[in-house]
């Protein structure tokens, strides 16, 4: 009877180990779940980026105002009859800490 109990305990221990560490065990499930969350977050980020690019493309196709705005903001372009003013804000003087 003792041998039967020892064998039974060994079998239960092996099954428990397989359930936790086995091929489709709990650890494998958790790793796969984390990879899925990371992939989902990356997919969502890329979808937002693609939507922004699609919006920008549709704006560019619709008119010259958007092209002019992009040229002014990104390239610093100015029309011939315009005067360019650059405003530089003063830095506040901070007192030395004691």
């Amino acid at each position: 009877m003792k041998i039967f109990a020892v064998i039974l305990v060994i079998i239960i221990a092996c099954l428990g180990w397989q359930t936790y560490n086995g091929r489709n065990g709990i650890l494998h499930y958790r790793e796969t779940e984390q990879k899925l969350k990371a992939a989902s977050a990356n997919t969502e980020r890329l979808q937002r980026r693609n939507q922004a690019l699609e919006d920008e493309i549709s704006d560019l196709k619709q008119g010259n105002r958007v092209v002019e705005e992009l040229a002014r903001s990104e390239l610093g372009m100015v029309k011939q009859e315009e005067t360019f003013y650059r405003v530089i804000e003063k830095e506040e003087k901070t007192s030395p800490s004691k």
Side-chain angles (χ1 to χ4, degrees):
M1 202 60 165
K2 276 187 169 183
I3 292 178
F4 178 71
V6 169
I7 292 174
L8 190 61
V9 168
I10 291 173
I11 291 174
I12 291 173
C14 288
L15 288 175
W17 185 85
Q18 278 289 82
T19 301
Y20 193 74
N21 294 326
R23 181 174 173 209
N24 292 323
I26 295 171
L27 289 177
H28 185 260
Y29 171 75
R30 288 181 182 160
E31 287 175 13
T32 306
E33 189 175 33
Q34 288 175 351
K35 288 178 184 177
L36 178 64
K37 285 180 183 178
S40 296
N42 190 33
T43 301
E44 185 177 325
R45 180 184 61 81
L46 290 173
Q47 285 175 341
R48 285 194 309 265
R49 182 178 140 230
N50 286 345
Q51 184 62 44
L53 289 173
E54 287 176 8
D55 292 343
E56 186 175 347
I57 289 170
S58 68
D59 286 345
L60 289 172
K61 286 181 180 179
Q62 288 179 1
N64 292 333
R65 289 181 54 203
V66 176
V67 175
E68 183 179 342
E69 179 184 334
L70 284 173
R72 287 174 176 271
S73 65
E74 293 182 7
L75 302 174
M77 298 186 88
V78 180
K79 290 182 181 179
Q80 279 186 336
E81 60 272 358
E82 291 181 335
T83 304
F84 177 73
Y85 293 100
R86 183 174 182 183
V87 178
I88 301 175
E89 295 182 19
K90 290 184 180 180
E91 294 183 21
E92 292 184 26
K93 293 183 180 179
T94 58
S95 61
S97 57
K98 294 182 181 180

